[in-house]
Amino acid sequence: MKCEAEQSQGLQMEEQQDIASTDGGYVGDIVIEKFLIESKKSTPHVQLACSMQHSAFPLHGNELCVWNTEDPSQQLLALRGHHQPISAVTFGNTATPLLICSASPDRVIMWSLDECREKILEGLIPRGTVLGTLLGTVLYLRFSPDDRIIAMCAGNKILMLDTESRSTLVELEGHQGPVTAAEFCTWRAHVVISVSEDRSFKVWDHRNGSLIYNSPVLAASPLLSLLVIEGSKQLVTGCAEGQLWVFSLVDKHHYRCVTHADLRKKRERFSTRRLESNPGSLPEESRLPSARELAKGDDVEVTLPVLGLAHCDLSLGLASECGLLSPENTSCLWIGSSAGLLMFNLANFELEAVLHYRDFRNLSIQIAGSCAMMSKTSDGKAFCVLTAMFGNGIAGLKVDPTALLRCQQHPTLGTPLSVLPSSRVLPTSPLHFGVVESSAQPARHRQPAARSVVRDQPLVFHSKVRSSGYTSAPHATMFSPKTNIKNDCKRSSECKNSYKWKESPVQNSPPTRLSRRLAVAEGRAAVRCIQFSGDGRRLACGSANHLALVFDADLTGTPTVFPGHDGAVNTVCWSHDGRWLLSVSQDGTLRVWSARRMELALCLGKDLLPKPVQSAQFYYIDTFILLSSGPEVQLFTYHIDTCKDEIRRYKPKSRGRAVVRLPMTGAVEVTSLSAVNDFYSYLVLTAGRNRTLEAFDLNVGRSAAVITEAHSRPVHQICQNKGSSFMTQPSQLYNLFATTAVADGIRLWDLRTLRCERRFEGHLNRCYPCGIAFSPCGRYVACGAEDRHAYVYEMGSSTFCHRLSGHTDTVTGVAFSPSASQEMGGEWPFMTNREGKGLAVEFFMASAHQCQVTLTLVSMMPACQLLTLLPFPGVKSSKTEGRGLLTPGKCPGARGGERSFTWMRVWTSVTTPDQSFISESDRSRMSPWAGEESKVT
């Protein structure tokens, strides 16, 4: 046949050449040139098309060629029907029948691919359906999701063509320049979005021909490409100068801009990170251009025009590499440019990989004029069709994204970091000091108590004066039962605990309704920080009027005031047991207050800290105080004297002493720090004035990792996903932490990979540092903003899910309540593995009423020894290899009714007998069955 004869003259198959990179090594596992065709006419700027199994492109000007990407043995299909050069090609969305539409200035033709092949096999000439004639130069074509309508971009208009009646349904006019691309909104089929050379995009309702939204001018160059992402409901568009925008199409978001990226700077940053992580991996010929080379402009492309956009399927690549975010939440896209292909991550807005055509010297096309990509092929590869910018070549490339990622991703050095410790405390560790002190403390207190019985004391000058003399026994009130209360064999409600806790459901939605608003101070004194106590019953806040305040969680009643600072209070932090409140002020001092007695217990000032304290917190379950002063992170051990001596109360006995000082790399000032206090953890995260993040391992007393250029500006807050005593999370989620900087949004990091996994940029934050917080369930991140709103982001999406109003000024801080006061009754939920066998549970329940329980109690004390398992009724225990495992059993209700309990979380790894599940366990301080309060130690 004639089309077969023409194919053999211009087509070069992949067997005729091996594709090699610039360093001389064969990289056929990354990119393969499947075909190369020399056309009689140059087609540098045309719309190409790729589908699941086919690619289409113009040949010799007015011929339409279809190539089967899955079965190259099938002959090249050439379709004729146009008299003028073809300028746009597109495939339909339905697999059967597979439609293809081509457009030229003289006509628009729709073809059925199966019918065309049957005609050719019968020796007949295939004919298409003419949808329109003399419609002008068509730059873009797109089928609707059901293939009933075709959007055709001709000049400044968008024509909606009916494929059945072959008529024009409506003409959409409004652009001031030629329309370069148009896409249908898949979840709202009546919506069409278009971009134009007038540098704006418009949203249309093609049913009635009305304009829904008109964007402002985005850039100085024309918009060339457009992509609508159904999963995240986002719009991506790019221009001729290498600028990329992502807009939200979620209802009530009003088409806000999610992010704006400069691909040239992204490529330069990617190259710098790659060279720093592995300097010897890139030869001189294949390395990406540096900033100096880009400035010179010698043989280096200055801009990266966005010629095409396509989805990137990384189910076998990036998702398995990072190990945390699922493929559904890690959306990437291919960006086709004249110099190569870029893999852009829509979660963290960074480049994951760069493929330059010039890095593969046997590729026939080095500079592309047009490109089209398709990622969802049967073997997980991506297929790309290119036309040469300077020449008549048309090539098809098959790219393996997994191999490309593997060769360009940053190598992991050493053991991955984790918040959950995997080894015992070393004898040389700074943390061992606190263990020795705590173990020796009871004996040191008992000896003076024994001597005080026989020591002579003044009759009057002591803490408590008794009229009967200082040697007599204290008076005690005898027990007198009440006889005027009717006993109905039921426990009085007054004897029951006023709060009963129940694990909050993981699928709880974040709060969206304003419950109460309270003015903290008169005038313009701003609230600088807020934090809930561990039990969720109290809320502490620091204000600009030098005060620290403590409210009830429901913001009722009179707050407790802690005066004494000489500057605005920037940090407040509760101790794990809720007895102490720590505050840091701009006066450079750190103060610890007694939450019960409402008085100052400890003050660390200039006598111990020559430089002002920037941030501080309790650490290692209240064993230490962790603070930053100047360029150092300091670990303080402290002693708070709780003895009340009325005659010597002027002499402070509380003291603190530095255990270790760790300087930041480069001796830069520490702007923020964070560590876990709810359970034992060795890692401390810090941020420096030079925009770096650094992790310190206090078990070995040195720096463990450094992340350079974490933000474009210094980080003003680090927030870890610390969970809650009322909520269980998968263990890997505790390795997540977020950072925020002014005018640079929020970035979500993973300690195991030391890379940014997602960015949140939907809130306004240009001048003032606004706080962030994780929800107890770990599913949401909240932040303040300068538009008087608080924003709530879901972890799997870069677009905010809720926008909370009610404030009258900039929202400076946010905090989630860790608890939910609920009635406990019925059955308590517990976790089982896939096989339904006994295993470790992520929480330790001290009391429940007739429910099945599965418990594991493992020590994470520095000695890492197994705790003594408590004898719960009906619960059997077994010990294997230093781990405790309790199998399910009946647990009857506690004698005397329900008991109160308080959570203290300590993490360690435990496994089932078949090693099929890894979980964490908790340590609990509780009221035991006998009724007296004790500690599990």
Side-chain angles (χ1 to χ4, degrees):
M1 291 179 292
K2 184 177 181 180
C3 63
E4 297 176 1
E6 293 178 353
Q7 160 208 327
S8 60
Q9 295 176 2
L11 180 61
Q12 300 178 12
M13 303 300 292
E14 60 177 319
E15 291 80 10
Q16 299 176 7
Q17 59 178 343
D18 290 325
I19 308 303
S21 66
T22 53
D23 56 352
Y26 289 96
V27 288
D29 57 338
I30 296 180
V31 58
I32 297 175
E33 189 171 276
K34 302 293 290 185
F35 65 83
L36 174 65
I37 299 177
E38 289 295 331
S39 177
K40 296 180 181 179
K41 293 185 179 181
S42 176
T43 55
H45 303 294
V46 295
Q47 181 193 3
L48 310 176
C50 284
S51 68
M52 294 293 293
Q53 296 183 352
H54 300 87
S55 62
F57 48 87
L59 181 63
H60 307 317
N62 57 359
E63 292 185 12
L64 176 62
C65 288
V66 181
W67 171 263
N68 192 316
T69 59
E70 300 295 323
D71 188 6
S73 62
Q74 292 190 12
Q75 301 298 332
L76 184 69
L77 181 61
L79 305 177
R80 300 179 182 87
H82 292 276
H83 301 290
Q84 297 185 21
I86 298 175
S87 58
V89 182
T90 187
F91 281 103
N93 298 299
T94 57
T96 305
L98 180 59
L99 302 178
I100 183 172
C101 183
S102 58
S104 63
D106 60 329
R107 60 182 62 182
V108 177
I109 304 177
M110 183 179 65
W111 314 79
S112 176
L113 198 57
D114 296 335
E115 293 181 2
C116 292
R117 291 194 181 276
E118 292 177 0
K119 293 289 186 181
I120 291 177
L121 293 176
E122 295 174 359
L124 302 176
I125 299 177
R127 301 291 185 184
T129 302
V130 179
L131 301 180
T133 58
L134 302 177
L135 298 177
T137 302
V138 179
L139 298 181
Y140 201 84
L141 294 170
R142 182 61 68 196
F143 276 93
S144 63
D146 56 2
D147 289 350
R148 294 183 177 180
I149 301 175
I150 296 178
M152 185 187 69
C153 304
N156 298 358
K157 301 179 182 179
I158 306 172
L159 280 69
M160 312 303 294
L161 305 180
D162 192 334
T163 58
E164 296 180 357
S165 63
R166 309 177 192 176
S167 61
T168 302
L169 298 177
V170 67
E171 293 184 4
L172 305 177
E173 299 184 52
H175 280 289
Q176 302 300 318
V179 182
T180 54
E183 294 286 344
F184 285 88
C185 189
T186 54
W187 62 95
R188 292 186 297 177
H190 64 283
V191 174
V192 174
I193 304 173
S194 61
V195 295
S196 169
E197 291 184 5
D198 62 7
R199 301 160 295 167
S200 67
F201 74 90
K202 298 182 185 295
V203 183
W204 311 83
D205 186 345
H206 69 81
R207 291 181 180 177
N208 51 25
S210 61
L211 178 64
I212 300 176
Y213 177 78
N214 181 20
S215 76
V217 174
L218 301 180
S221 58
L223 301 180
L224 301 180
S225 56
L226 178 66
L227 179 66
V228 175
I229 304 175
E230 180 178 5
S232 58
K233 294 185 178 180
Q234 290 179 339
L235 161 70
V236 185
T237 182
C239 71
E241 289 185 348
Q243 306 292 320
L244 194 76
W245 291 266
V246 180
F247 294 91
S248 175
L249 299 180
V250 178
D251 295 339
K252 298 181 181 181
H253 281 193
H254 308 291
Y255 306 96
R256 68 171 184 87
C257 181
V258 177
T259 188
H260 169 226
D262 188 336
L263 296 181
R264 185 181 63 86
K265 294 182 180 180
K266 293 290 184 182
R267 183 180 64 174
E268 181 182 348
R269 176 181 171 87
F270 175 81
S271 176
T272 303
R273 292 201 314 265
R274 189 180 173 197
L275 289 172
E276 290 176 352
S277 61
N278 195 357
S281 64
L282 295 177
E284 185 68 22
E285 300 89 347
S286 62
R287 66 181 178 86
L288 298 177
S290 63
R292 186 175 301 176
E293 292 172 342
L294 288 172
K296 290 181 179 180
D298 298 335
D299 300 329
V300 176
E301 185 186 27
V302 177
T303 60
L304 293 170
V306 183
L307 303 178
L309 297 169
H311 296 276
C312 183
D313 186 8
L314 289 178
S315 57
L316 302 177
L318 179 63
S320 61
E321 293 289 338
C322 70
L324 173 70
L325 301 179
S326 61
E328 300 83 20
N329 295 336
T330 309
S331 177
C332 292
L333 58 86
W334 286 108
I335 301 175
S337 183
S338 58
L341 300 178
L342 311 177
M343 188 183 297
F344 187 77
N345 192 332
L346 289 173
N348 56 19
F349 309 134
E350 296 290 344
L351 291 178
E352 298 293 342
V354 177
L355 190 152
H356 281 264
Y357 305 136
R358 62 177 175 83
D359 289 343
F360 303 90
R361 59 169 175 258
N362 284 346
L363 285 182
S364 303
I365 296 178
Q366 300 293 318
I367 301 179
S370 301
C371 68
M373 298 146 291
M374 173 57 67
S375 182
K376 295 182 179 180
T377 55
S378 58
D379 54 358
K381 308 291 179 62
F383 195 85
C384 177
V385 181
L386 305 174
T387 62
M389 174 71 78
F390 309 105
N392 300 336
I394 302 173
L397 308 180
K398 196 167 189 178
V399 183
D400 188 348
T402 304
L404 183 62
L405 280 171
R406 189 179 298 113
C407 80
Q408 294 193 358
Q409 284 297 308
H410 314 307
T412 302
L413 301 178
T415 304
L417 300 179
S418 176
V419 171
L420 307 179
S422 59
S423 62
R424 67 179 61 190
V425 177
L426 300 176
T428 58
S429 171
L431 302 178
H432 190 71
F433 176 83
V435 177
V436 175
E437 289 289 329
S438 62
S439 61
Q441 184 176 0
R444 188 169 61 249
H445 280 282
R446 282 196 298 268
Q447 292 177 358
R451 292 194 300 267
S452 64
V453 176
V454 296
R455 186 177 57 185
D456 293 335
Q457 294 182 0
L459 180 63
V460 178
F461 298 99
H462 51 76
S463 58
K464 294 184 179 180
V465 180
R466 302 184 183 278
S467 60
S468 59
Y470 62 90
T471 58
S472 62
H475 292 280
T477 303
M478 297 295 294
F479 173 72
S480 176
K482 296 181 180 181
T483 57
N484 59 345
I485 298 178
K486 184 183 294 185
N487 188 359
D488 55 356
C489 300
K490 295 183 179 180
R491 191 181 182 186
S492 173
S493 60
E494 296 179 357
C495 299
K496 295 184 179 180
N497 202 292
S498 60
Y499 55 93
K500 303 171 184 178
W501 297 336
K502 182 178 180 180
E503 185 186 22
S504 303
V506 179
Q507 300 299 328
N508 271 355
S509 299
T512 58
R513 183 176 57 87
L514 178 63
S515 175
R516 184 176 176 82
R517 182 166 51 192
L518 179 67
V520 175
E522 297 180 359
R524 301 290 296 177
V527 178
R528 308 295 295 268
C529 53
I530 54 176
Q531 188 184 45
F532 278 97
S533 60
D535 55 9
R537 302 172 64 191
R538 290 171 294 177
L539 176 67
C541 69
S543 64
N545 59 358
H546 309 179
L547 299 178
L549 306 174
V550 174
F551 297 85
D552 291 335
D554 56 0
L555 299 182
T556 59
T558 303
T560 304
V561 182
F562 297 91
H565 281 291
D566 294 331
V569 179
N570 296 329
T571 302
V572 289
C573 177
W574 288 97
S575 63
H576 182 76
D577 55 11
R579 296 176 57 193
W580 313 103
L581 178 66
L582 182 149
S583 63
V584 175
S585 170
Q586 288 183 354
D587 59 10
T589 62
L590 180 152
R591 296 173 183 260
V592 179
W593 312 84
S594 173
R596 297 177 180 177
R597 299 178 179 177
M598 298 173 289
E599 62 182 13
L600 180 64
L602 176 66
C603 180
L604 301 180
K606 297 181 179 179
D607 53 340
L608 294 176
L609 302 168
K611 295 186 178 181
V613 180
Q614 295 295 331
S615 54
Q617 66 166 80
F618 291 99
Y619 175 60
Y620 215 63
I621 311 187
D622 300 342
T623 307
F624 302 97
I625 291 178
L626 189 68
L627 59 91
S628 64
S629 176
E632 293 181 336
V633 177
Q634 301 188 23
L635 186 68
F636 269 71
T637 181
Y638 63 98
H639 167 71
I640 297 179
D641 183 27
T642 58
C643 178
K644 298 294 294 181
D645 192 340
E646 296 181 359
I647 197 63
R648 297 181 178 179
R649 64 183 304 173
Y650 64 90
K651 183 179 181 180
K653 296 183 179 180
S654 300
R655 61 188 181 274
R657 182 165 65 90
V659 177
V660 65
R661 292 181 172 91
L662 300 175
M664 287 278 292
T665 301
V668 296
E669 181 184 3
V670 180
T671 58
S672 179
L673 64 80
S674 176
V676 177
N677 187 45
D678 294 336
F679 53 88
Y680 292 117
S681 177
Y682 305 150
L683 291 185
V684 176
L685 306 180
T686 60
R689 184 68 64 182
N690 60 347
R691 300 171 294 171
T692 61
L693 300 177
E694 189 165 1
F696 291 94
D697 187 349
L698 292 189
N699 191 27
V700 295
R702 60 178 176 83
S703 175
V706 177
I707 303 175
T708 60
E709 301 294 332
H711 281 265
S712 61
R713 293 189 179 184
V715 174
H716 63 260
Q717 183 181 356
I718 302 176
C719 182
Q720 290 181 265
N721 181 24
K722 302 177 182 179
S724 168
S725 300
F726 304 86
M727 189 76 63
T728 58
Q729 297 183 24
S731 59
Q732 63 268 21
L733 293 184
Y734 289 90
N735 292 312
L736 293 178
F737 68 96
T739 58
T740 180
V742 175
D744 199 27
I746 303 172
R747 301 195 181 192
L748 181 67
W749 304 83
D750 186 1
L751 268 173
R752 297 167 299 172
T753 59
L754 295 177
R755 54 171 284 164
C756 176
E757 300 293 347
R758 187 170 291 278
R759 293 179 65 177
F760 309 99
E761 297 184 349
H763 56 286
L764 181 64
N765 183 15
R766 297 175 181 174
C767 303
Y768 199 89
C770 299
I772 56 177
F774 277 95
S775 65
C777 62
R779 295 179 56 211
Y780 303 98
V781 176
C783 67
E786 296 173 2
D787 59 356
R788 298 174 295 178
H789 289 81
Y791 290 80
V792 181
Y793 293 90
E794 195 168 4
M795 297 286 284
S797 174
S798 298
T799 303
F800 66 85
C801 57
H802 297 288
R803 185 169 176 258
L804 309 180
S805 60
H807 285 279
T808 58
D809 207 336
T810 299
V811 181
T812 58
V814 291
F816 281 93
S817 174
S819 65
S821 179
Q822 299 177 359
E823 185 72 14
M824 183 173 64
E827 292 186 354
W828 189 281
F830 65 93
M831 298 180 62
T832 59
N833 59 356
R834 292 185 297 271
E835 292 77 10
K837 301 178 182 178
L839 72 162
V841 187
E842 289 185 345
F843 54 89
F844 177 61
M845 185 182 62
S847 174
H849 181 67
Q850 293 185 354
C851 68
Q852 296 285 338
V853 293
T854 305
L855 305 177
T856 296
L857 191 58
V858 179
S859 172
M860 268 311 298
M861 296 298 291
C864 284
Q865 296 179 353
L866 182 69
L867 290 173
T868 302
L869 300 176
L870 298 181
F872 283 88
V875 180
K876 301 178 181 179
S877 64
S878 61
K879 300 182 181 180
T880 56
E881 298 180 358
R883 294 183 175 90
L885 180 64
L886 300 178
T887 56
K890 282 289 184 179
C891 182
R895 293 188 297 270
E898 299 169 345
R899 299 289 183 180
S900 63
F901 54 92
T902 304
W903 302 86
M904 293 178 61
R905 186 177 297 265
V906 178
W907 297 94
T908 185
S909 297
V910 294
T911 58
T912 59
D914 57 359
Q915 304 294 320
S916 62
F917 183 89
I918 297 178
S919 180
E920 282 70 39
S921 61
D922 291 343
R923 184 181 70 164
S924 175
R925 180 169 63 87
M926 60 184 181
S927 296
W929 306 109
E932 294 183 357
E933 183 176 353
S934 64
K935 281 190 177 182
V936 179
T937 57

